[in-house]
PDB file of all heavy atoms in Angstrom:
ATOM      1  N   LYS O1201     -30.141   5.492  25.968  1.00  0.00           N
ATOM      2  CA  LYS O1201     -29.644   6.850  26.242  1.00  0.00           C
ATOM      3  C   LYS O1201     -30.595   7.509  27.276  1.00  0.00           C
ATOM      4  O   LYS O1201     -31.769   7.154  27.361  1.00  0.00           O
ATOM      5  CB  LYS O1201     -29.531   7.708  25.009  1.00  0.00           C
ATOM      6  CG  LYS O1201     -30.830   8.097  24.355  1.00  0.00           C
ATOM      7  CD  LYS O1201     -30.590   9.033  23.185  1.00  0.00           C
ATOM      8  CE  LYS O1201     -31.900   9.440  22.522  1.00  0.00           C
ATOM      9  NZ  LYS O1201     -31.653  10.357  21.386  1.00  0.00           N
ATOM     10  N   VAL O1202     -30.049   8.435  28.010  1.00  0.00           N
ATOM     11  CA  VAL O1202     -30.806   9.140  29.031  1.00  0.00           C
ATOM     12  C   VAL O1202     -31.681  10.161  28.371  1.00  0.00           C
ATOM     13  O   VAL O1202     -31.195  11.070  27.670  1.00  0.00           O
ATOM     14  CB  VAL O1202     -29.836   9.850  30.035  1.00  0.00           C
ATOM     15  CG1 VAL O1202     -30.637  10.616  31.084  1.00  0.00           C
ATOM     16  CG2 VAL O1202     -28.964   8.819  30.718  1.00  0.00           C
ATOM     17  N   ALA O1203     -33.028   9.994  28.559  1.00  0.00           N
ATOM     18  CA  ALA O1203     -33.980  10.845  27.830  1.00  0.00           C
ATOM     19  C   ALA O1203     -34.613  11.943  28.729  1.00  0.00           C
ATOM     20  O   ALA O1203     -35.109  12.935  28.176  1.00  0.00           O
ATOM     21  CB  ALA O1203     -35.089  10.003  27.231  1.00  0.00           C
ATOM     22  N   ARG O1204     -34.675  11.728  30.034  1.00  0.00           N
ATOM     23  CA  ARG O1204     -35.191  12.728  30.956  1.00  0.00           C
ATOM     24  C   ARG O1204     -34.574  12.584  32.303  1.00  0.00           C
ATOM     25  O   ARG O1204     -34.446  11.482  32.841  1.00  0.00           O
ATOM     26  CB  ARG O1204     -36.729  12.621  31.046  1.00  0.00           C
ATOM     27  CG  ARG O1204     -37.353  13.685  31.991  1.00  0.00           C
ATOM     28  CD  ARG O1204     -38.794  13.958  31.654  1.00  0.00           C
ATOM     29  NE  ARG O1204     -39.725  12.895  32.045  1.00  0.00           N
ATOM     30  CZ  ARG O1204     -40.334  12.845  33.259  1.00  0.00           C
ATOM     31  NH1 ARG O1204     -40.075  13.775  34.174  1.00  0.00           N
ATOM     32  NH2 ARG O1204     -41.183  11.880  33.542  1.00  0.00           N
ATOM     33  N   VAL O1205     -34.220  13.694  32.894  1.00  0.00           N
ATOM     34  CA  VAL O1205     -33.656  13.722  34.236  1.00  0.00           C
ATOM     35  C   VAL O1205     -34.394  14.700  35.149  1.00  0.00           C
ATOM     36  O   VAL O1205     -34.223  14.691  36.348  1.00  0.00           O
ATOM     37  CB  VAL O1205     -32.152  14.125  34.216  1.00  0.00           C
ATOM     38  CG1 VAL O1205     -31.312  13.082  33.458  1.00  0.00           C
ATOM     39  CG2 VAL O1205     -31.931  15.504  33.646  1.00  0.00           C
ATOM     40  N   ALA O1206     -35.242  15.543  34.547  1.00  0.00           N
ATOM     41  CA  ALA O1206     -35.935  16.553  35.297  1.00  0.00           C
ATOM     42  C   ALA O1206     -37.025  15.951  36.172  1.00  0.00           C
ATOM     43  O   ALA O1206     -37.718  15.016  35.782  1.00  0.00           O
ATOM     44  CB  ALA O1206     -36.555  17.601  34.375  1.00  0.00           C
ATOM     45  N   LEU O1218     -34.985   8.598  33.055  1.00  0.00           N
ATOM     46  CA  LEU O1218     -35.625   7.763  32.060  1.00  0.00           C
ATOM     47  C   LEU O1218     -34.626   7.363  31.008  1.00  0.00           C
ATOM     48  O   LEU O1218     -33.834   8.174  30.518  1.00  0.00           O
ATOM     49  CB  LEU O1218     -36.793   8.490  31.369  1.00  0.00           C
ATOM     50  CG  LEU O1218     -38.054   8.738  32.175  1.00  0.00           C
ATOM     51  CD1 LEU O1218     -39.106   9.381  31.281  1.00  0.00           C
ATOM     52  CD2 LEU O1218     -38.617   7.455  32.758  1.00  0.00           C
ATOM     53  N   ALA O1245     -28.512  10.820  38.459  1.00  0.00           N
ATOM     54  CA  ALA O1245     -28.728  10.685  37.026  1.00  0.00           C
ATOM     55  C   ALA O1245     -27.516  11.146  36.224  1.00  0.00           C
ATOM     56  O   ALA O1245     -26.906  12.150  36.560  1.00  0.00           O
ATOM     57  CB  ALA O1245     -29.948  11.473  36.595  1.00  0.00           C
ATOM     58  N   PRO O1246     -27.117  10.387  35.176  1.00  0.00           N
ATOM     59  CA  PRO O1246     -26.087  10.909  34.262  1.00  0.00           C
ATOM     60  C   PRO O1246     -26.629  12.078  33.487  1.00  0.00           C
ATOM     61  O   PRO O1246     -27.818  12.363  33.488  1.00  0.00           O
ATOM     62  CB  PRO O1246     -25.832   9.709  33.333  1.00  0.00           C
ATOM     63  CG  PRO O1246     -26.519   8.544  33.968  1.00  0.00           C
ATOM     64  CD  PRO O1246     -27.621   9.107  34.775  1.00  0.00           C
ATOM     65  N   PRO O1247     -25.748  12.848  32.806  1.00  0.00           N
ATOM     66  CA  PRO O1247     -26.230  13.961  31.985  1.00  0.00           C
ATOM     67  C   PRO O1247     -27.238  13.526  30.915  1.00  0.00           C
ATOM     68  O   PRO O1247     -27.126  12.385  30.423  1.00  0.00           O
ATOM     69  CB  PRO O1247     -24.953  14.519  31.405  1.00  0.00           C
ATOM     70  CG  PRO O1247     -23.856  14.091  32.274  1.00  0.00           C
ATOM     71  CD  PRO O1247     -24.286  12.756  32.845  1.00  0.00           C
ATOM     72  N   LEU O1248     -28.093  14.378  30.520  1.00  0.00           N
ATOM     73  CA  LEU O1248     -29.066  14.149  29.454  1.00  0.00           C
ATOM     74  C   LEU O1248     -28.341  13.720  28.205  1.00  0.00           C
ATOM     75  O   LEU O1248     -27.359  14.327  27.805  1.00  0.00           O
ATOM     76  CB  LEU O1248     -29.886  15.409  29.224  1.00  0.00           C
ATOM     77  CG  LEU O1248     -31.205  15.204  28.424  1.00  0.00           C
ATOM     78  CD1 LEU O1248     -32.226  14.383  29.228  1.00  0.00           C
ATOM     79  CD2 LEU O1248     -31.784  16.569  28.115  1.00  0.00           C
ATOM     80  N   GLY O1249     -28.818  12.664  27.588  1.00  0.00           N
ATOM     81  CA  GLY O1249     -28.198  12.185  26.333  1.00  0.00           C
ATOM     82  C   GLY O1249     -27.108  11.173  26.517  1.00  0.00           C
ATOM     83  O   GLY O1249     -26.602  10.600  25.522  1.00  0.00           O
ATOM     84  N   THR O1250     -26.660  10.923  27.756  1.00  0.00           N
ATOM     85  CA  THR O1250     -25.593   9.947  28.004  1.00  0.00           C
ATOM     86  C   THR O1250     -26.024   8.553  27.492  1.00  0.00           C
ATOM     87  O   THR O1250     -27.147   8.133  27.709  1.00  0.00           O
ATOM     88  CB  THR O1250     -25.301   9.838  29.513  1.00  0.00           C
ATOM     89  OG1 THR O1250     -24.809  11.079  29.973  1.00  0.00           O
ATOM     90  CG2 THR O1250     -24.259   8.775  29.795  1.00  0.00           C
TER      91      THR O1250
END
Side-chain angles (χ1 to χ4, degrees):
K1201 70 176 180 180
V1202 178
R1204 180 156 74 90
V1205 298
L1218 289 184
L1248 196 66
T1250 297

